[in-house]
Amino acid sequence: MTKRLDGRVAVITGAGSGIGLATAKRFAAEGAKVVCVDLDPESGAKAANEVDGLFIQADVTDEAAVIAMYQQAVDHYGSLDIAFNNAGISPPEDDSILTTGLEAWKRVQEVNLTSVYLCCKYAIPHMQRQGKGSIINTASFVAVMGAATSQISYSASKGGVLAMSRELGVQFAREGIRINALCPGPVNTPLLQELFAKDPERAARRLVHIPLGRFAEPSEIAAAVAFLASDDSSFMTANTFLVDGGISGA
Ligand code: NAI
């Protein structure tokens, strides 16, 4: 494998599972020094161990913890070149506008959207000092199209991530900082399995709408993140990067 990320320092949130874990492995294979951030101490530490990286236990909704995690990454490895702001949670069981309560709504916005605001806010100054950096924020295909299954709090949070990424991408382009939104389609991870456990027919309903006829594997999303993190995407910023099996094009 070509080492497109040789020597670069990458901080990945939600690195203990699913897309974050697959990306930690891909980044390490491409030569990056990987900082694995997760709320869960066991899976996060295991991920860091697998990629010979640094584990930081942090709740990405906690402002002080986000400030500290980037500082710790820079203190340990000397720079911050890539921030993959990826931690997130699935929607509440019945996420219709008519049934989702205010507390459940606020929780989804906090973990999926406010966390990305905090991660961008505190990663960007490190990158400004270096005059370069690549930020990838995980949104979702539901940020660009309506989902057949109600998930209003989740879709709104991901729409916010997409809008924020575009705006920041434009704002910081002249400082050498690229900021893109990654929009995966349905990916075979614990998050998706949790949704299907709540509603077993959801999987079949989803598959009908995916032209490639299957769910993505986390490694397929990680390959796209590695591209966005690397210089191979050097002319891309403020972009909506869909990796969705064709679901948004159908
Ligand atoms: P996952 O559930 O497998 O992994 C998420 C990780 O984030 C877990 O390790 C969890 O401990 C961590 N996490 C959750 N809250 C946290 C917090 N407050 N602070 C720090 N870490 C926290 O999920 P998956 O599927 O890998 O999802 C990753 C991202 O991709 C999420 O933002 C999700 O919304 C998004 N996404 C997932 C899709 C899918 O079909 N799996 C499709 C489109 C987007």
Side-chain angles (χ1 to χ4, degrees), residues 43 58 62 81-82 84 93 102 112 128 140 181 186 197 206 218-219 224:
S43 63
D62 176 342
D81 305 300
I82 301 157
F84 181 33
E93 191 159 348
L102 187 56
N112 289 2
Q128 281 179 310
S140 165
R206 263 279 180 268
S219 61

Side-chain angles (χ1 to χ4, degrees), residues 14-20 37-40 43 58-61 86-89 107 111-112 138-141 154 158 184-187 189-192:
S17 174
I19 295 168
V37 176
D38 209 288
L39 190 57
D40 180 57
S43 63
D59 179 345
V60 289
T61 68
N86 165 75
I89 53 172
R107 179 70 189 145
V111 180
N112 289 2
T138 304
S140 165
F141 72 100
Y154 185 82
K158 295 301 187 179
V187 189
T189 68
L191 183 144
L192 196 70

Side-chain angles (χ1 to χ4, degrees), residues 120-130 177:
C120 289
K121 185 178 179 70
Y122 294 110
I124 286 170
H126 289 288
M127 294 178 173
Q128 281 179 310
R129 275 193 289 280
Q130 298 167 189
I177 303 169

Side-chain angles (χ1 to χ4, degrees), residues 40-89:
D40 180 57
E42 278 175 32
S43 63
K46 189 164 175 279
N49 194 38
E50 277 185 57
V51 300
D52 199 18
L54 175 70
F55 171 55
I56 300 176
Q57 184 187 9
D59 179 345
V60 289
T61 68
D62 176 342
E63 185 170 20
V66 171
I67 294 170
M69 81 189 187
Y70 287 127
Q71 194 54 55
Q72 202 179 330
V74 171
D75 289 346
H76 193 81
Y77 285 126
S79 66
L80 175 64
D81 305 300
I82 301 157
F84 181 33
N85 302 323
N86 165 75
I89 53 172

